[in-house]
Amino acid sequence: MSEYETILVDRPESAPRVGLITLHRPKALNALNRQLMLEVVEAATAFDRDPEIGAIVITGSERAFAAGADIKEMQPQGFPQVYVDDLFRDWDRLADLRTPLIAAVAGHALGGGCELAMLCDILLAADTASFGQPEIRLGVIPGIGGSQRLTRAVGKAKAMEMCLTGRTMKAEEAERSGLVSRIIPAAELLDEALKVAATIAGFSAPIVAMAKEAVNRSYESTLAEGIRFERRLFHSTFATADQKEGMGAFVEKRTPAFGHH
Ligand SMILES: CC(C)(O)CC(=O)SCCNC(=O)CCNC(=O)[C@H](O)C(C)(C)COP(=O)(O)OP(=O)(O)OC[C@H]1O[C@@H](n2cnc3c(N)ncnc32)[C@H](O)[C@@H]1OP(=O)(O)O
């Protein structure tokens, strides 16, 4: 199924144009060591470059999406090493991908696990999922964007409490707070995530990329700048064949066949 050591990579037949990455370090609850991290980034980048892939699902096991960065690997490291290596910088590459990433989260999503889920564009949670930034208990703080993305997702009050006390959030609270888009029974999580991914992958790839970029821009700009950016992207959709196809299909009362250009 895959040439990787700590992840499984697949193109499920049931979900056309979808790439699936499954974290697979069962004995360590998918703790994110350097190897796993590189493999995820490489596999996601390879899918992103593949014109036959229109959405990517990242998932873990029933017990853990990921229980955080690998504490045993980090424990002996010193400041000069983590600073010079710019530890965790590689994860930023996921945020630059054009292809939508969907996190299908069951069980623990803690520390770097929660941060990996938040690096994805859509978070779907099993009813067994729990989210947290427990780094404070280890004498560190989040290092893959947790303090920033969690705050934007759930607001300062909850993010501050979670980062300062290490309290975890169960799926229901995560949905109520806007961290996850939906809760799904654990047994159906992966199928549902693949369905969502296949729906996205069926739309025009360049238009999907523009929609993703427009939503993400709202994180980084004022409302007025964001609206101007969205308007320009909207105008540029009219330069694509897929705009002609999508609107033409509506007018002609048929299903559109997007060519992804
Ligand atoms: C990226 C940054 C900068 O933000 C930093 C981080 O991510 S720091 C890590 C944050 N995560 C945590 O602090 C969670 C640590 N894990 C736990 O608290 C518990 O394992 C648990 C609550 C998730 C599950 O508990 P339990 O069911 O009792 O299982 P365990 O026996 O504890 O774990 C099984 C096995 O997995 C190993 N494990 C778990 N998490 C990690 C981890 N983050 N790094 C390395 N190894 C981990 C655990 O040690 C066990 O293995 P053995 O020791 O039995 O070989």
Side-chain angles (χ1 to χ4, degrees):
M1 182 137 79
S2 104
E3 72 274 27
Y4 297 101
E5 280 177 37
T6 58
I7 62 172
L8 305 170
V9 174
D10 198 8
R11 294 164 186 249
E13 269 177 31
S14 64
R17 294 177 43 78
V18 172
L20 172 63
I21 298 173
T22 305
L23 310 187
H24 192 63
R25 276 192 85 198
K27 288 186 184 149
L29 300 182
N30 292 330
L32 307 165
N33 64 2
R34 200 172 282 262
Q35 169 88 17
L36 186 148
M37 209 178 288
L38 272 179
E39 289 182 1
V40 169
V41 173
E42 271 171 22
T45 304
F47 277 143
D48 189 55
R49 290 191 183 133
D50 185 341
E52 295 307 313
I53 293 292
I56 302 165
V57 173
I58 301 183
T59 195
S61 67
E62 237 172 80
R63 200 170 155 208
F65 178 71
D70 191 318
I71 301 166
K72 293 168 191 168
E73 191 179 65
M74 286 187 292
Q75 189 262 333
Q77 297 188 36
F79 170 75
Q81 188 183 351
V82 299
Y83 181 73
V84 171
D85 290 355
D86 205 353
L87 183 63
F88 299 133
R89 185 181 175 184
D90 284 342
W91 283 109
D92 295 342
R93 287 165 55 195
L94 288 182
D96 293 332
L97 301 184
R98 289 280 162 122
T99 310
L101 296 169
I102 296 161
V105 178
H108 304 287
L110 299 176
C114 186
E115 290 168 306
L116 172 58
M118 290 190 294
L119 268 164
C120 295
D121 302 299
I122 298 176
L123 272 81
L124 297 175
D127 43 14
T128 57
S130 64
F131 300 85
Q133 298 292 159
E135 290 86 349
I136 198 86
R137 296 186 190 153
L138 300 168
V140 293
I141 68 168
I144 317 177
S147 63
Q148 307 303 300
R149 292 197 176 91
L150 187 65
T151 306
R152 281 165 171 77
V154 306
K156 180 179 168 185
K158 271 186 195 287
M160 194 64 97
E161 189 198 352
M162 290 170 73
C163 289
L164 295 188
T165 69
R167 178 175 84 78
T168 58
M169 213 185 230
K170 291 204 184 333
E172 266 182 26
E173 185 181 359
E175 186 192 30
R176 222 174 34 242
S177 312
L179 179 61
V180 308
S181 60
R182 266 188 301 138
I183 302 178
I184 293 151
E188 295 159 29
L189 176 70
L190 184 56
D191 281 349
E192 186 57 27
L194 291 173
K195 248 186 237 166
V196 172
T199 298
I200 294 169
F203 295 130
S204 163
I207 305 299
V208 164
M210 285 187 206
K212 168 170 164 164
E213 194 179 357
V215 174
N216 279 336
R217 182 57 72 99
S218 71
Y219 272 114
E220 289 158 12
S221 59
T222 62
L223 180 61
E225 283 164 2
I227 286 172
R228 263 196 304 276
F229 180 75
E230 181 200 69
R231 184 77 32 80
R232 291 292 166 254
L233 276 185
F234 167 72
H235 291 158
S236 64
T237 63
F238 286 74
T240 67
D242 285 337
Q243 174 267 334
K244 308 283 175 284
E245 173 61 14
M247 292 193 178
F250 177 83
V251 172
E252 292 158 20
K253 300 189 188 298
R254 60 176 174 79
T255 305
F258 292 116
H260 309 293
H261 52 91

